[in-house]
Amino acid sequence: MSAAAIVAASIGLIPGTAQAADPVKPAAQAAGAPAANGAQLNLFMSARVSSAHGFELTTSLNRAAPPLDTTIEWGDGTTETVTSSGAWETRTKHTYKELGEYTIKATVVDPALGTSDTKEVRVKTAGSEFTPYGPTRLLDTRSGTGTVKGKVKGYSSTRVKVAGNGGIPTGVTAVALNVTAANTTSAGHVSVFASGNTRPTASNINFEAGQTVPNLVIAQVGADGYVELYNGGWEPVDLIADVTGYFGQQEASGYTPQAPARVVDTRNGTGTQPGPVAGQGSFTVKVAQPGATAVALNVTVTNPQEAGHLTVHPAGQAAPATSNVNFTAGQTVANSVIVPVGKNGEITVRNGAWAPSDVIVELVGTYSTASAGAYVPVAPVRQIDTRESWSKGPWPAREYLWQAFSVEQEAWVLNTTVTNTRGAGFLSVAPDHNSTGDYTNGTAGSPARPLSSTLNWTAGKTVANLVQARAGDFGIVDFWNQGWDRADLIVDIFGYYDNE
């Protein structure tokens, strides 16, 4: 299977123009003395984002000879000297230890002619770090929380204020929302995107009549501080949005991904007491070490005896009026969760039903002040759709599709959707130790079949779930069909984490 298309798209996710702050007029500068031949010495400079923490600076002169030294002051106390000339462009990369705004200043001097020139550019790093918040309900069309009371009409939108709402500051770039579609009367989908942006073709939630369906969304926030939720069905639907944290372009908590690790399974007593969680009961488990502020989880409920919901929250706090997983009797359903941790790195999971249910919790990553993993949101990009691509489909039963991403990123924020299901099964997403060359040359070793699950489905159902996927050392992620029947897989990219 060719991975050229997604590799190209992954590289293209890094913006190609300067991720500059609002334009700042350079300070007035004295013109250099004219050269003997009448030519003024001019320095040309531009900056573009090269990573979440870094920029590539391009410098050149208006004349070719002689090449001259250019001193670059990066604005963080470090300087660098490069050689510039009009005969070529000099490109210099720099990584900032901390996110923020910086003024880059470059100066060139021609000692022989006594001329000089200085240029400045104000830039802002592209990455954002995470601040836990809540969980707190920002939107509920059933009660009028955050909007006008009443269902969202078919093929219409509602907006939720994020930046400047409560304790969330202005200027945030993205937000972690658990979005739920409820009181559905026909099939449809929900797309979540930044206010002011073009609505993407990608969807975040797929629902059928009578279903209550949640999904975690890491959504870009519009310049006006709002996020838009679009009802892609024919009939009105209630929408609920609970915030668990936000991303901003300043130092906070970075992200460290890991291969999914099962920390709780009540069916066999992993991490807690064996046996289903009693109705209205809860358990507490340690999931992070000191210094962690939040964790990324995949939480699954199975064998529920009646309809209900799970709420995941920091240990030591009262359970909030929010939900993370909604289920019906006998249903196995999973949802991604980002949740702040208690002071001892613990979380509490509460069963909001009146009857017992089994619960599985898998840890996929940790947010901490010690991590440099900054988030870069992008306009949603569809990377896999086995319904339309002969090179990627069909998705075989009991097998996997491997997908090559850029090796420069630490993890990818993806929305995965499984549709056209012929039987029951579950999706596993895991890093792959092979390289693209291994697959091209036929020398790839078979990855171990993962035990973790990202989402579960039954015959005829369309199910979506967000996954924060860590790639292998060579940038490859595997998507496993753990069912015994074929199905179709859709994968959309919403952003990535970068250490540099």
Side-chain angles (χ1 to χ4, degrees):
M1 181 182 67
S2 171
I6 195 166
V7 171
S10 299
I11 294 172
L13 290 174
I14 299 175
T17 57
Q19 190 65 225
D22 294 336
V24 178
K25 184 178 180 180
Q29 301 171 39
N37 60 7
Q40 176 85 12
L41 176 60
N42 288 318
L43 172 66
F44 302 102
M45 180 175 72
S46 63
R48 76 173 191 94
V49 167
S50 59
S51 65
H53 288 257
F55 287 86
E56 181 181 76
L57 190 70
T58 300
T59 55
S60 63
L61 303 178
N62 65 325
R63 62 187 197 220
L68 300 173
D69 287 342
T70 299
T71 301
I72 303 171
E73 300 173 55
W74 292 104
D76 59 356
T78 63
T79 60
E80 192 166 353
T81 300
V82 299
T83 300
S84 299
S85 169
W88 66 82
E89 293 182 338
T90 301
R91 292 180 172 85
T92 311
K93 288 187 176 182
H94 183 73
T95 300
Y96 292 96
K97 291 183 178 179
E98 296 186 356
L99 300 175
E101 294 186 36
Y102 297 90
T103 298
I104 304 174
K105 179 179 178 180
T107 302
V108 61
V109 176
D110 186 340
L113 299 177
T115 58
S116 65
D117 193 18
T118 298
K119 293 293 190 300
E120 291 184 357
V121 61
R122 185 77 172 167
V123 297
K124 179 185 286 186
T125 50
S128 298
E129 292 197 350
F130 182 74
T131 299
Y133 187 89
T136 304
R137 184 147 292 173
L138 296 185
L139 175 76
D140 191 337
T141 61
R142 301 170 303 179
S143 63
T145 300
T147 188
V148 176
K149 183 178 179 179
K151 287 185 174 182
V152 180
K153 294 180 180 180
Y155 301 106
S156 300
S157 298
T158 188
R159 302 198 314 153
V160 56
K161 182 176 176 61
V162 175
N165 189 350
I168 303 175
T170 59
V172 299
T173 57
V175 62
L177 293 173
N178 195 67
V179 178
T180 304
N183 299 320
T184 59
T185 56
S186 67
H189 68 271
V190 176
S191 295
V192 184
F193 57 100
S195 174
N197 286 13
T198 302
R199 175 168 52 86
T201 57
S203 63
N204 300 93
I205 297 175
N206 297 78
F207 56 82
E208 297 178 357
Q211 283 189 318
T212 298
V213 183
N215 196 12
L216 180 67
V217 178
I218 299 180
Q220 283 185 276
V221 177
D224 60 0
Y226 282 81
V227 168
E228 192 163 340
L229 289 78
Y230 174 78
N231 173 16
W234 285 98
E235 300 295 333
V237 64
D238 277 313
L239 295 177
I240 305 154
D242 302 320
V243 61
T244 59
Y246 57 86
F247 296 83
Q249 290 177 297
Q250 66 280 322
E251 288 297 296
S253 294
Y255 182 66
T256 301
Q258 65 173 58
R262 186 156 294 181
V263 293
V264 171
D265 190 338
T266 62
R267 298 171 302 179
N268 58 24
T270 298
T272 188
Q273 199 73 16
V277 182
Q280 303 295 303
S282 63
F283 64 85
T284 296
V285 59
K286 183 179 178 67
V287 291
Q289 298 303 314
T293 59
V295 289
L297 309 169
N298 201 66
V299 179
T300 303
V301 62
T302 189
N303 305 320
Q305 296 182 20
E306 68 172 23
H309 66 272
L310 297 182
T311 297
V312 187
H313 62 93
Q317 300 181 15
T322 60
S323 63
N324 297 97
V325 184
N326 297 73
F327 52 85
T328 57
Q331 185 182 25
T332 297
V333 59
N335 196 26
S336 289
V337 175
I338 296 176
V339 60
V341 297
K343 63 180 180 180
N344 296 320
E346 295 176 329
I347 60 166
T348 297
V349 180
R350 181 179 182 272
N351 178 11
W354 291 98
S357 297
D358 277 310
V359 177
I360 303 163
V361 179
E362 288 162 339
L363 178 67
V364 298
T366 303
Y367 295 90
S368 73
T369 55
S371 175
Y375 180 62
V376 180
V378 301
V381 178
R382 179 146 294 174
Q383 294 299 326
I384 297 176
D385 190 340
T386 60
R387 301 170 302 177
E388 300 175 356
S389 173
W390 65 267
S391 63
K392 297 186 177 106
W395 192 28
R398 306 300 295 170
E399 292 294 339
Y400 67 94
L401 293 178
W402 65 271
Q403 197 63 72
F405 291 79
S406 169
V407 297
E408 297 177 357
Q409 279 66 53
E410 289 296 303
W412 297 85
V413 176
L414 312 171
N415 199 69
T416 55
T417 304
V418 175
T419 190
N420 297 326
T421 56
R422 296 167 174 82
F426 65 95
L427 164 70
S428 296
V429 181
D432 189 322
H433 66 275
N434 293 294
S435 68
T436 302
D438 292 332
Y439 281 105
T440 302
N441 299 330
T443 58
S446 179
R449 182 179 297 276
L451 300 176
S452 62
S453 64
T454 296
L455 61 82
N456 300 71
W457 68 81
T458 54
K461 300 298 182 181
T462 296
V463 184
N465 197 11
L466 180 138
V467 57
Q468 303 207 87
R470 182 174 73 86
D473 292 341
F474 300 98
I476 293 181
V477 178
D478 292 335
F479 299 87
W480 289 80
N481 176 358
Q482 302 273 39
W484 293 96
D485 298 278
R486 283 164 49 177
D488 278 311
L489 173 69
I490 304 162
V491 178
D492 299 309
I493 292 181
F494 283 78
Y496 59 87
Y497 292 93
D498 191 355
N499 272 345
E500 297 183 352

